[in-house]
């Protein structure tokens, strides 16, 4: 047991031992688990052996068992599969005597190489749940991608980590600018990703070197987070300061000139102050021609323990990411075409995308007593993007595509404040775990529009009386042959003829040239539009422990969201004006306001300590853009979610198998109004009505475990069917044009067809084994497989499209990638190598039909690490 105990000490990064403090004069058994420096040990499992009851220490190291009969009990304390010790304790008159458990970690002889595995999280509290209750008491699906998985798979981006989350699939990698994820049929959007509980932006691709874990709370999280879409919320938990010196330096190299050094240093400044600094630089090419990236990331943080009950964590990070925007191979005649090579680059050679992201956060934790705790968060995020290039490559059947230019810039500044009060109270023989919270968000977005110099652009090519080609200015930068860009023939205007373009009747002689156009036209500011959004919410949640086996979770939230008029500044006139909401009579309608109540109700039945069965109902709301027939801003859509599941632990917590089924209904889906009340056709895509319905059904299964020492497994499967269930029928509209009647047909989208962007089946499996004994001790071998099922790109067909035999959908075939890994650890050194996509699968991530990004081919990556 000594070696196992020492392995745990190493895994928690402790020095000097651990201490378990029991607290008398309370009903049942209460206590805290700390190390000798006073730092709490979170997520350790405390078990009453005779009753089979278990609980987990929270972030303050606290735990409790209530309403225990008088008698003697064996308390087992363990974490991450390692037993610390067993201790006998006696309960008399409903309370226990104080106990102390101290372990000496001075022995440095460790017989454990890999001390952090893929262990059960059902008994752990997850910060994404806010309430400080164990996962098994949450009536919805939860998944955690822990630090060991992130390390084993050499994760670089959030998308690398989320491949392990069943039910979450990357829908598109739009131009390499933004990774877009779908969960349970719903896009995660801009509001569903959080960092340490505060909303964060996914632009520029989130850096993974600072991640301690990724928590995914699936289904509706509106009760806790307000205006989020219903698929899931993702919380990124970053590495925190420690009160002992340590760290690591690593360098990661890979295919296509990938190079990434990383330094992570932590330690105490004083008895109450600790720090951590993580920094990394990354430079890389790509399997795609002309595509490069360069990133710089730094993440300093400070932890200040004011006293035993109060601590403050200050975190800041900054990411500068410059990379070539790459919209992939585009579509040919509205479909995929493999003849456009995997490596073919179709953007302009000078295209650029520059992003700068910074986050700052203050996180205060205060424990009033053993029952009541307060968490307060204040944070900000700044995100800026500067882009120039060509996108939306859609070629004709002969492979010729017109390239238009887009110049854009945006600056976003977001502030977030939260108060979360948790407490435990008893009413008679019933225990309540209460969460009371309030939060607020303020966001300010500036979007810049540009006027691009188009004097050299193509509009029409004509011929003069002598048969010489001529050109007139227009919006098309050039035409490109997607099958062979180098053979493209484009037309340009010699500079000495440019002045003649002021007269549109003059045809200017043009010159034909082979090759792609390479000059970068100038662009000047046109307008700047500033938009503010203010969100506020209050909520109450209660986990009611009716009996040891039966619990009820109930909660309610009120959310208020206000979007005032945007401001548009025009550079040419130096004028600022409001972008007003006006009705049909040009009367001001005022700011757009959304208000919603979000209830949640769940039943939890735990027939044995290792199983939890639940059913739950919750709803969330989504804000809708546009206006109704009276030009009033559209209200929110309320979405109902139903979920049932079972969470199981096997082999004393070494294996977890959880399963869930769900149904999500939106019976108030906003879609374009097709027919106005006067019977005329509506061609305004912003004029909408609540006439549609959608449904999303699915099943999810995940398995995690460390079955044997050094053997870690992680696997999952999901199925989702997201579709329209009710849309507008085909309708004939008669209008009078120039005195003659004209019949126009309109319709909604086809029903019961999978929505674009969603994936039918996903599956993942990972197994790593580290040799624990013998001459090859420290050798690590692993394999991971990821399956992405059939999905639709393009656009969902209208009922008229189907009737007329027009298919706008692009069916994307399934694919599987397999990664293999091998590594070795010797004392403080470790090396881990990976071959990705061993089977060299060829497939795509697609946004509609123009950003068609091939997945990377077979590639290599190696990380060399030194721990100190």
């Amino acid at each position: 047991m000594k070696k196992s105990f020492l392995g745990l000490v190493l895994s928690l990064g402790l020095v000097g031992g651990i201490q378990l403090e029991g607290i008398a004069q309370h009903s049942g058994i209460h206590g805290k688990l700390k190390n000798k420096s006073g730092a709490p040990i979170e997520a350790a499992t405390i078990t009453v052996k005779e009753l089979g009851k278990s609980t987990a220490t929270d972030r303050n190291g606290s735990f409790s068992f209530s309403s225990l009969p008088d008698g003697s009990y064996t308390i087992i304390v363990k974490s991450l599969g390692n037993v610390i010790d067993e201790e006998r304790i006696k309960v008399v008159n409903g309370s226990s005597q104080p106990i102390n458990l101290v372990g000496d970690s001075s022995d440095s002889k460790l017989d454990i190489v890999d001390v952090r595995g893929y262990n059960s999280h059902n008994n752990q509290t997850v910060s994404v749940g806010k309430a400080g209750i164990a996962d098994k008491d949450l009536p919805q699906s939860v998944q955690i991608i822990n630090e060991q998985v992130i390390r084993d798979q050499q994760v670089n981006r959030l998308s690398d980590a989320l491949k392990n989350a069943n039910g979450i699939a990357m829908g598109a990698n739009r131009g390499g600018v933004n990774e877009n994820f779908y969960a349970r049929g719903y896009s995660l959007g801009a509001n569903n990703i959080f960092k340490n509980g505060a909303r964060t932006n996914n632009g520029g691709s989130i850096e993974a070197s600072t991640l301690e874990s990724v928590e995914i709370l699936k289904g509706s999280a509106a009760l806790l987070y307000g205006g989020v879409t219903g698929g899931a919320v993702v919380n990124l938990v970053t590495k925190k300061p420690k009160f002992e010196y340590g760290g690591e330096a690593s360098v990661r190299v890979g295919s296509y000139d990938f190079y990434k050094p990383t330094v992570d240093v932590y330690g105490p400044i004083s008895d109450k102050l600790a720090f951590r600094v993580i920094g990394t630089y990354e430079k890389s090419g790509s399997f795609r021609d002309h595509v490069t990236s360069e990133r710089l990331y730094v993440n300093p943080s400070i932890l200040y323990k004011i006293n035993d009950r109060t601590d403050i964590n200050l975190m800041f990070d900054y990411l500068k990411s410059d990379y070539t925007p790459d919209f992939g191979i585009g579509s040919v005649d509205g479909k995929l075409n493999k003849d456009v090579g995997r490596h073919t680059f179709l953007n302009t050679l000078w295209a650029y995308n520059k992003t700068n992201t910074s986050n700052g956060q203050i996180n205060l934790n205060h424990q009033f007593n053993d029952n009541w705790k307060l968490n307060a968060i204040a944070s900000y995020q700044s995100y800026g993007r500067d882009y120039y290039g060509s996108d939306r490559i859609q070629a004709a059947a002969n492979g010729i595509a017109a390239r238009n230019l887009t110049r854009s810039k945006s600056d976003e500044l977001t502030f977030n404040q939260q108060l979360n009060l948790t407490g435990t109270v008893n009413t008679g023989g019933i225990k309540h775990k209460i969460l009371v919270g309030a939060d607020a968000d303020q966001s300010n977005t500036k979007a810049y529009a540009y006027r691009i110099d188009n004097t050299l652009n193509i509009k029409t090519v004509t011929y003069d009386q002598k048969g010489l080609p001529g050109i007139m200015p227009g919006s098309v930068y050039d035409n490109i042959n997607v099958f062979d860009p180098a053979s493209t023939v484009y037309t340009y205007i010699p500079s000495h003829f440019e002045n003649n373009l002021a007269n549109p009747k003059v045809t200017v002689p043009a010159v034909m040239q082979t090759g792609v156009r390479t000059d970068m036209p100038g662009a000047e500011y046109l307008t700047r539009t500033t938009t503010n959004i203010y969100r506020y919410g209050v909520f109450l949640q209660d986990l009611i422990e009716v009996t040891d086996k039966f619990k009820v979770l109930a909660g309610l939230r009120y959310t208020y969201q206000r979007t005032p008029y945007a401001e548009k500044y025009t550079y040419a006139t130096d004028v600022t004006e409001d972008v007003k909401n006006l009705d049909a009579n040009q009367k001001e309608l005022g700011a757009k306001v959304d208000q919603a109540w979000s209830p949640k109700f769940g039943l939890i039945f735990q027939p044995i300590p290792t199983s939890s069965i639940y059913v739950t109902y919750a709803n969330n709301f989504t804000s809708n853009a546009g206006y109704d027939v009276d030009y009033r801003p559209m209200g929110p859509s309320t979405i109902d979610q139903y979920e049932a599941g079972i969470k199981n632990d096997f082999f004393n917590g070494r294996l977890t198998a959880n399963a869930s089924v769900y149904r999500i209904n939106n019976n108030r889906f906003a879609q374009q109004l097709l027919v106005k009340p006067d019977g005329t056709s509506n061609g305004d895509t912003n004029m909408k009505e609540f006439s549609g319905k959608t449904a999303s059904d699915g099943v999810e299964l995940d398995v995690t475990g460390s079955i044997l020492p050094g053997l870690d497994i992680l696997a999952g499967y999901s199925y989702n069917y997201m579709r329209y269930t009710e849309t507008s029928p085909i309708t004939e509209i008669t209008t009078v044009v120039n005195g003659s009647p004209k019949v126009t047909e309109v319709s909604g989208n086809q029903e019961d067809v999978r929505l674009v962007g969603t994936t039918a089946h996903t599956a993942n499996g990972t197994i790593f084994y580290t040799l624990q004994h013998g001459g090859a001790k420290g050798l690590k071998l692993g394999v991971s497989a990821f399956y992405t099922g059939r999905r639709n790109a393009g656009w969902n067909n209208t009922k008229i499209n189907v009737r007329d035999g027009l298919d706008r959908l692009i069916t994307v075939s399934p694919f599987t990638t397999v990664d293999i890994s091998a590594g070795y650890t010797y004392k403080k050194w470790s090396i881990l190598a990976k071959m990705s996509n061993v089977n060299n699968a060829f497939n795509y991530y697609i946004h509609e039909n123009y950003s068609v990004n091939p997945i990377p081919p077979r590639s290599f990556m190696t990380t060399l690490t030194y721990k100190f």
Side-chain angles (χ1 to χ4, degrees):
M1 183 166 64
K2 181 179 180 182
K3 292 180 179 179
S4 180
F5 166 69
L6 290 174
L8 173 69
V9 171
L10 178 62
S11 71
L12 296 173
L14 307 178
V15 293
I18 58 172
Q19 183 176 11
L20 176 67
E21 300 174 348
I23 301 175
Q25 300 179 351
H26 291 280
S27 175
I29 302 173
H30 299 252
K32 289 184 179 180
L33 186 62
K34 298 181 178 180
N35 64 11
K36 282 190 173 180
S37 66
I41 302 174
E42 183 181 0
T45 301
I46 314 295
T47 302
V48 181
K49 183 177 180 180
E50 288 77 7
L51 301 179
K53 295 182 66 174
S54 296
T55 189
T57 57
D58 61 17
R59 62 187 303 166
N60 298 302
S62 300
F63 70 92
S64 66
F65 295 95
S66 60
S67 304
L68 296 183
D70 288 358
S72 296
Y73 300 98
T74 302
I75 305 300
I76 301 174
V77 183
K78 70 176 184 177
S79 182
L80 302 171
N82 298 287
V83 175
I84 296 176
D85 209 342
E86 296 183 5
E87 185 77 13
R88 295 287 293 176
I89 189 168
K90 193 171 184 179
V91 175
V92 179
N93 296 326
S95 63
S96 65
Q97 295 298 314
I99 60 171
N100 291 280
L101 178 65
V102 178
D104 182 7
S105 64
S106 60
D107 186 354
S108 61
K109 297 180 181 178
L110 302 177
D111 197 26
I112 294 180
V113 176
D114 224 359
V115 294
R116 297 200 62 173
Y118 306 172
N119 296 79
S120 168
H121 55 76
N122 285 346
N123 287 315
Q124 299 180 21
T125 59
V126 286
S127 56
V128 71
K130 287 190 176 182
I133 60 180
D135 175 18
K136 68 179 181 180
D137 292 335
L138 286 173
Q140 64 189 108
S141 181
V142 177
Q143 192 166 359
I144 299 176
I145 312 301
N146 69 18
E147 186 177 2
Q148 189 64 48
V149 179
I150 294 170
R151 186 181 294 272
D152 283 348
Q153 295 183 359
Q154 300 184 75
V155 166
N156 283 307
R157 301 286 184 271
L158 179 59
S159 56
D160 298 331
L162 290 183
K163 288 193 297 186
N164 299 283
N166 64 76
I168 296 183
M170 190 161 78
N173 184 12
R174 191 177 179 184
V177 173
N178 198 359
E179 296 173 333
N180 180 28
F181 303 98
Y182 281 82
R184 297 188 173 184
Y186 286 84
S187 172
L188 295 189
N191 295 327
N192 285 48
I193 298 179
F194 298 79
K195 182 176 289 186
N196 298 319
R199 206 179 309 272
T200 192
N201 191 306
N202 188 35
S205 297
I206 290 172
E207 173 59 40
S209 61
T210 189
L211 296 182
E212 182 175 89
S213 64
V214 178
E215 301 175 337
I216 302 109
L217 182 64
K218 299 176 186 177
S220 174
L223 173 65
L224 302 177
Y225 293 98
V228 294
T229 58
V233 295
V234 176
N235 184 44
L236 312 174
V237 181
T238 62
K239 298 174 183 177
K240 305 297 189 298
K242 295 183 179 182
F243 280 91
E244 66 273 354
Y245 290 107
E248 65 180 42
S250 68
V251 60
R252 182 170 294 172
V253 295
S255 301
Y256 313 110
D257 300 320
F258 181 92
Y259 175 74
K260 183 177 183 178
T262 302
V263 176
D264 178 4
V265 181
Y266 52 82
I269 300 174
S270 67
D271 291 341
K272 294 182 176 294
L273 199 64
F275 77 95
R276 189 164 197 159
V277 178
I278 301 171
T280 184
Y281 171 79
E282 179 184 313
K283 191 170 185 179
S284 177
S286 171
F287 69 97
R288 306 273 299 146
D289 293 343
H290 311 295
V291 174
T292 61
S293 66
E294 186 174 14
R295 295 162 62 92
L296 175 67
Y297 176 79
V298 61
N299 172 210
S301 56
I302 292 177
L303 175 63
Y304 177 39
K305 292 185 66 64
I306 299 175
N307 52 49
D308 288 340
R309 294 185 178 271
T310 309
D311 63 72
I312 296 178
N313 187 46
L314 291 88
M315 186 276 292
F316 171 82
D317 68 1
Y318 170 75
L319 171 65
K320 176 179 174 58
S321 179
D322 298 341
Y323 47 92
T324 307
D326 178 18
F327 290 85
I329 64 174
S331 60
V332 179
D333 198 25
K335 302 299 177 184
L336 300 178
N337 193 313
K338 286 189 176 182
D339 290 336
V340 183
R342 191 182 216 167
H343 64 281
T344 303
F345 180 72
L346 300 177
N347 205 338
T348 62
L349 297 179
W350 45 262
Y352 63 84
N353 191 92
K354 301 178 180 180
T355 65
N356 288 273
T357 307
S358 65
N359 291 272
Q361 186 177 114
I362 301 175
N363 197 316
L364 168 70
N365 294 290
H366 176 69
Q367 187 166 342
F368 296 101
N369 51 48
D370 293 329
N371 293 325
W372 289 94
K373 304 167 189 175
L374 176 69
N375 169 246
I377 299 175
S379 70
Y380 89 93
Q381 182 183 66
S382 174
Y383 171 72
R385 177 187 175 224
D386 189 4
Y387 167 81
Y388 196 9
S390 176
D391 50 36
R392 297 181 180 270
I393 299 297
Q394 300 171 74
N398 62 0
I400 302 301
R403 291 200 299 182
N404 297 287
L405 298 181
T406 300
R407 175 76 173 94
S408 64
K409 181 181 177 182
S410 62
D411 293 306
E412 300 176 15
L413 184 61
T414 303
F415 296 92
N416 174 259
Q417 307 86 40
Q418 297 181 42
L419 285 174
N420 300 295
L421 177 67
T422 59
T424 302
V425 297
N426 292 291
T427 56
I430 298 177
K431 181 180 178 180
H432 299 262
K433 186 76 172 181
I434 296 173
L435 167 65
V436 181
D439 51 45
D441 286 285
Q442 308 86 41
S443 65
N444 174 278
T445 302
K446 293 181 173 64
Y448 298 82
Y450 289 83
R451 178 185 290 111
I452 298 175
D453 180 8
N454 67 354
T455 56
L456 298 183
N457 286 0
I458 299 171
K459 182 178 182 182
T460 58
V461 176
T462 62
Y463 294 88
D464 62 16
Q465 294 178 351
K466 296 181 179 180
L468 297 176
I471 190 170
M472 296 190 67
S475 60
V476 178
Y477 177 69
D478 67 358
N479 291 314
I480 189 170
N481 184 344
V482 299
F483 297 124
D484 186 9
S487 69
T488 298
V489 177
Y490 75 93
T491 309
Y492 76 99
I493 307 168
S495 59
H496 59 279
F497 286 114
E498 290 178 17
N499 294 333
N500 292 336
L501 294 177
N503 185 348
K505 296 182 180 180
V506 175
T507 300
V508 178
V511 174
M512 311 298 289
Q513 180 166 316
T514 300
V516 294
R517 185 174 167 184
T518 59
D519 63 293
M520 182 172 68
E524 60 181 13
Y525 285 116
L526 185 62
T527 61
R528 181 188 67 229
T529 302
T530 303
T531 304
N532 292 287
I533 300 177
Y534 303 95
R535 303 183 187 94
Y536 308 96
V538 292
F539 56 93
L540 171 66
Q541 176 183 283
D542 188 7
L543 176 66
I544 306 167
E545 188 175 323
V546 181
T547 68
D548 288 344
K549 298 179 184 291
F550 185 68
K551 301 175 183 179
V552 177
L553 187 143
L556 183 65
R557 178 191 180 94
Y558 171 73
T559 302
Y560 175 90
Q561 180 171 306
R562 180 175 181 271
T563 306
Y565 292 158
E567 289 185 351
K568 184 173 74 173
Y569 171 74
T570 303
Y571 285 87
T573 60
D574 193 27
V575 172
T576 300
E577 58 184 331
D578 289 336
V579 182
K580 300 178 179 179
N581 298 323
L582 303 175
D583 65 13
N585 298 317
Q586 300 301 300
K587 181 181 178 181
E588 288 191 39
L589 296 173
K592 175 177 170 56
V593 174
D594 289 331
Q595 302 179 70
W597 293 92
S598 302
K600 183 175 184 178
F601 182 79
L603 302 176
I604 305 108
F605 178 57
Q606 297 166 340
I608 56 178
T610 56
S611 290
S612 183
I613 304 168
Y614 66 88
V615 293
T616 185
Y617 163 79
N619 74 28
N620 66 283
F621 75 95
T622 58
S623 182
N624 291 302
Y627 39 78
D628 63 17
V629 69
D630 296 318
Y631 291 88
R632 292 188 298 265
M634 296 294 289
S637 294
T638 301
I639 302 171
D640 298 312
Q641 300 204 25
Y642 307 88
E643 182 176 339
I646 182 169
K647 302 179 180 183
N648 299 283
D649 279 350
F650 300 97
F651 308 116
N652 199 25
R654 294 194 300 273
L655 181 70
T656 297
N658 298 340
S660 61
V661 295
Y662 60 86
R663 177 72 183 268
I664 306 174
N665 290 329
N666 182 356
N667 294 323
R668 188 176 154 86
F669 180 73
Q671 56 185 355
Q672 181 184 351
L673 175 68
L674 299 180
V675 183
K676 294 182 179 180
D678 61 4
T680 60
S681 175
N682 172 45
D684 184 353
T685 57
N686 291 317
M687 184 173 287
K688 300 180 180 180
E689 62 178 347
F690 291 112
S691 60
K693 294 182 180 180
T694 67
S696 179
D697 301 322
V699 178
E700 295 169 350
L701 171 69
D702 65 83
V703 177
T704 60
S706 294
I707 302 175
L708 299 171
L711 179 62
D712 298 320
I713 63 171
L714 175 67
Y717 165 78
S718 72
Y719 168 77
N720 173 261
Y721 181 31
M722 173 71 171
R723 73 277 189 196
Y724 297 109
T725 56
E726 186 174 317
T727 63
S728 302
I730 298 175
T731 304
E732 290 187 351
I733 306 297
T734 302
T735 57
V736 178
V737 179
N738 297 326
S740 301
K742 180 180 180 181
V743 178
T744 304
E745 290 184 319
V746 293
S747 76
N749 285 309
Q750 183 184 14
E751 295 154 350
D752 298 319
V753 173
R754 186 176 309 283
L755 289 190
V756 165
T758 65
T759 303
H761 302 270
T762 64
N764 64 277
T766 292
I767 181 168
F768 271 83
Y769 179 65
T770 304
L771 274 67
Q772 305 291 297
H773 308 284
K777 174 184 172 183
L779 177 66
K780 174 177 289 195
L781 301 171
V783 60
S784 298
F786 305 100
Y787 173 81
T788 300
R790 193 172 301 278
R791 57 224 184 272
N792 289 329
W795 296 273
N796 281 89
N797 292 310
T798 66
K799 295 174 181 177
I800 295 174
N801 294 150
V802 175
R803 184 200 63 188
D804 296 343
L806 176 63
D807 187 8
R808 304 191 305 167
L809 285 174
I810 300 175
T811 300
V812 188
S813 61
F815 71 96
T816 300
T817 60
V818 178
D819 303 344
I820 58 174
S821 300
Y824 182 70
T825 299
Y826 178 73
K827 294 185 178 179
K828 295 183 177 182
W829 289 92
S830 66
I831 186 169
L832 184 62
K834 178 175 70 172
M835 180 189 297
S836 300
N837 195 5
V838 174
N839 50 318
N840 205 28
F842 183 26
N843 213 278
Y844 314 91
Y845 292 113
I846 304 178
H847 180 82
E848 293 180 350
N849 78 335
Y850 64 89
S851 185
V852 182
N853 296 86
I855 66 172
R858 184 185 300 115
S859 59
F860 301 86
M861 185 167 291
T862 301
T863 304
L864 177 66
T865 304
Y866 175 76
K867 292 188 176 182
F868 49 85

